Amino acid sequence: MMRLFSLLGALFALGGLGSGCALTRPGSLDARAHTPRREQLTVLFVADLHAQLRAHPELFWRDGQERIEEAGGFARVAAAIQRIRAERGGDVLVLDAGDTLQGSGAAALTEGRALIEPLNALGLDGAVPGNWEVVYGPEVLRQRARELKHPLIAANLRDARSGERLFPPYLVKEVGGVKVAVVGFTDPDVPRRQPPGYSQGLRYDGPEALPALVREVREREGAQVVLLMTHVGLAKAVGLAARVPGVDVHLSGDTHERTEVPIEQAGSWVVEPGAFGSFLGRLDLWVEAGKVVDRRWELIELTASRFPEDPEVARLVDAALAPHEEALAPAVGHTGVTLARYAVVENPLDNVLADAIRAAGGTQIGLSNGFRFGTPLLPGPVREADLWNVFPIVNKLKTGKVSGRQLRAFWEQELENVFAKDPEKRFGGWLPRPSGMTLRFRAGAPKGQRLLALEVGGEPVDDARLYTVTACEREGDAPDMVCRIPGVQEPRVLDVDAHEALRRFLAGKPRLHDALEGRAVGEDLPPVLRTQQLPQ
């Protein structure tokens, strides 16, 4: 017993017991005192809202099953953000990867002004301007940026004359005890991808400056977490991840991809959160000693069954849309089937649009761009508002004559734009949509060797023969350019635009189809291709 008291006395003398401390192994107190604190950063992320202020039908798919539910709308996006803010005690960073101010009738009629108050109510921390943000011209883009409560960021968008950046290259903010930097980058292909007149007076740089900017925010700004937010599309984002080291997560926009599982590239994650406000991406990062030690990603479906609408934002949306309801409400036709656009190669909605364009031009071939925007049209009346969702710009139609050889070259290039193995060579949207013409191809074949068969009116294309074609005029294109086909003979701009073509077509009460018609078939692709992220 005396020996026990002696041992305890020695321990007290050495500071091993007393002052509320427990008996521990030597060195364990020091280890616990220096254990780094773990902080959690939550990032909420939307992209490609395309001015869809109100809830709308949305097509969801998983494991071969499809369903349509009401989803999206700024009021529902706001409610989801607020729920997660409350869960995290306000420690949330909310970001938008662009293509926000364009895509609906109200947006077009006000050059994006109708979006400002509802958008400001979302409480965004920053956004990247998308390729469609220039649709109203550079001066309007600058004005809208001044009206927003959150900053636009873009490292590579400059005034052509002065060379000065339009917006800061990055955003740095402390959230939940974590210092985070968001570097912004928008699509450098805008002057070629959009009608050139939209971006006149602007200069788009490539990604060469990004590695230095990432180092700058790490070393000079002291960022513990670096996010690269881009509007270049998922394939190019994956390619950039390998070229820009030091990025923890790459937040991608543009291609409307629904990333269920993050794509890992060079130690970074690449994710994209769908489109139209139908989804919210949630990224949780855990940081210790200035480094990310754990990550979690969730793609949240913003359906009416899961999330209510925030009443105050709903009121702002109603007020923004009220002045335009009368102009956008009239019915212009009817559909007896559901028309949706979500497919890379062929879809029922674009078949209708291409048919309308061909009928308006009275030509053998009609071509529509491979647009991604436009939510599903359910059976019932087709209204003026739907025309803007399907085709949110007003372009006159243009006709001309092209040779079979030109048609082959056009399709080979467009197939390369969509399916190039090198992500840097991908360009624009999905495959153009033909009417009066069919093609069969192999997406995985080398450039220039993808076409297997090309027919017009059911007959194989003759390289030497001339064919008549109608497509949309693009502001700033060369006079002899039609739908990116150069050297067109006898080009002529019509007084009819794409909306009027649809009105006339639907007025004839055509029988519309919700099934694919084999207009464009990739023999090495699934019947319905939802993504461009194909295994290489």
Side-chain angles (χ1 to χ4, degrees):
M1 180 67 71
M2 290 298 298
R3 261 185 292 196
L4 174 61
F5 284 135
S6 299
L7 176 60
L8 289 172
L11 287 170
F12 273 112
L14 291 171
L17 290 176
S19 302
C21 293
L23 182 62
T24 57
R25 290 189 300 272
S28 63
L29 283 179
D30 288 341
R32 186 171 60 191
H34 292 90
T35 298
R37 181 176 176 178
R38 174 176 284 207
E39 306 283 2
Q40 181 180 350
L41 168 67
T42 298
V43 180
L44 302 180
F45 171 43
V46 294
D48 299 286
L49 294 173
H50 281 295
Q52 295 300 312
L53 285 166
R54 281 205 175 122
H56 50 78
E58 184 59 273
L59 175 65
F60 297 94
W61 59 84
R62 182 171 295 180
D63 302 326
Q65 300 297 313
E66 296 182 358
R67 73 183 199 280
I68 290 180
E69 283 193 50
E70 183 179 278
F74 279 32
R76 184 161 288 113
V77 174
I81 291 171
Q82 290 164 12
R83 181 186 295 184
I84 298 170
R85 276 193 192 281
E87 170 201 322
R88 294 286 299 117
D91 292 336
V92 173
L93 184 71
V94 187
L95 301 170
D96 172 18
D99 274 5
T100 303
L101 300 175
Q102 174 269 6
S104 71
L109 295 173
T110 63
E111 296 186 323
R113 180 66 187 86
L115 277 290
I116 297 302
E117 289 194 42
L119 190 58
N120 281 337
L122 296 184
L124 299 176
D125 293 294
V128 169
N131 59 290
W132 281 106
E133 252 70 69
V134 297
V135 65
Y136 315 118
E139 290 311 311
V140 174
L141 173 57
R142 289 184 173 96
Q143 177 60 31
R144 296 294 166 262
R146 289 190 289 268
E147 294 164 353
L148 292 170
K149 290 182 179 179
H150 60 270
L152 298 184
I153 55 173
N156 64 319
L157 181 54
R158 298 178 183 269
D159 181 88
R161 181 173 296 179
S162 68
E164 294 182 359
R165 285 190 174 105
L166 261 67
F167 309 113
Y170 55 76
L171 164 73
V172 179
K173 192 167 184 176
E174 186 166 315
V175 182
V178 176
K179 197 168 189 181
V180 56
V182 186
V183 180
F185 183 76
T186 193
D187 190 355
D189 289 333
V190 164
R192 292 188 303 131
R193 179 178 174 185
Q194 314 300 111
Y198 292 174
S199 58
Q200 190 170 1
L202 299 179
R203 190 184 98 201
Y204 289 78
D205 296 338
E208 294 77 17
L210 291 179
L213 286 170
V214 170
R215 289 195 300 271
E216 181 177 320
V217 296
R218 287 276 189 196
E219 297 168 7
R220 195 171 79 184
E221 302 288 348
Q224 299 164 282
V225 172
V226 176
L227 307 175
L228 178 58
M229 184 162 65
T230 68
H231 193 92
V232 296
L234 189 59
K236 287 188 176 183
V238 172
L240 270 180
R243 299 170 55 192
V244 184
V247 173
D248 294 298
V249 180
H250 190 144
L251 307 177
S252 170
D254 181 50
T255 37
H256 303 191
E257 296 273 4
R258 304 173 181 183
T259 307
E260 299 281 355
V261 178
I263 299 168
E264 187 151 0
Q265 179 69 268
S268 179
W269 272 3
V270 186
V271 291
E272 195 162 310
F276 310 125
S278 300
F279 300 86
L280 179 67
R282 175 173 177 168
L283 175 70
D284 288 285
L285 302 172
W286 286 267
V287 179
E288 285 184 9
K291 292 184 178 180
V292 174
V293 295
D294 199 5
R295 304 179 283 196
R296 185 181 68 191
W297 164 257
E298 181 183 6
L299 186 64
I300 303 169
E301 295 180 355
L302 298 187
T303 58
S305 60
R306 295 183 64 187
F307 292 92
E309 292 189 324
D310 176 78
E312 176 57 24
V313 178
R315 186 189 66 79
L316 292 174
V317 167
D318 287 343
L321 293 177
H324 315 291
E325 297 283 14
E326 186 176 350
L328 298 175
V332 297
H334 186 276
T335 174
V337 296
T338 297
L339 299 175
R341 180 172 256 159
Y342 302 129
V344 176
V345 176
E346 182 192 353
N347 64 70
L349 192 154
D350 273 316
N351 285 348
V352 174
L353 177 57
D355 286 348
I357 288 172
R358 179 165 70 102
T363 53
Q364 295 165 284
I365 301 167
L367 291 172
S368 172
N369 287 340
F371 289 142
R372 296 187 183 93
F373 34 62
T375 54
L377 286 176
L378 300 186
V382 179
R383 305 191 181 280
E384 284 286 342
D386 298 318
L387 301 185
W388 286 103
N389 290 336
V390 169
F391 200 99
I393 50 178
V394 178
N395 288 79
K396 298 285 188 177
L397 300 186
K398 190 174 185 178
T399 65
K401 295 180 179 180
V402 296
S403 69
R405 185 174 290 104
Q406 286 175 296
L407 288 173
R408 290 185 190 281
F410 166 76
W411 282 113
E412 286 287 7
Q413 183 57 55
E414 293 298 325
L415 289 165
E416 173 70 3
N417 292 344
V418 176
F419 297 112
K421 290 181 173 58
D422 181 353
E424 285 302 307
K425 295 179 180 176
R426 296 198 181 182
F427 177 83
W430 291 331
L431 203 65
R433 319 303 191 176
S435 174
M437 164 182 276
T438 61
L439 62 145
R440 300 183 70 83
F441 63 91
R442 290 190 62 82
K447 178 183 178 181
Q449 301 175 39
R450 290 188 172 93
L451 267 181
L452 301 174
L454 189 62
E455 295 184 349
V456 172
E459 297 292 331
V461 164
D462 181 340
D463 283 0
R465 183 178 170 185
L466 290 178
Y467 298 89
T468 56
V469 61
T470 305
C472 288
E473 167 75 331
R474 292 168 17 115
E475 182 184 339
D477 268 351
D480 65 349
M481 177 87 74
V482 176
C483 196
R484 294 203 287 263
I485 304 175
V488 171
Q489 297 181 38
E490 301 178 27
R492 183 167 64 96
V493 178
L494 307 181
D495 289 333
V496 180
D497 61 36
H499 287 187
E500 181 59 21
L502 276 168
R503 291 187 196 100
R504 293 180 182 182
F505 186 73
L506 293 172
K509 299 181 179 179
R511 184 180 178 185
L512 306 181
H513 303 279
D514 59 358
L516 299 183
E517 301 174 21
R519 299 188 185 193
V521 177
E523 294 196 347
D524 54 346
L525 299 176
V528 180
L529 181 65
R530 303 291 192 195
T531 176
Q532 286 176 264
Q533 285 301 109
L534 301 175
Q536 298 293 336

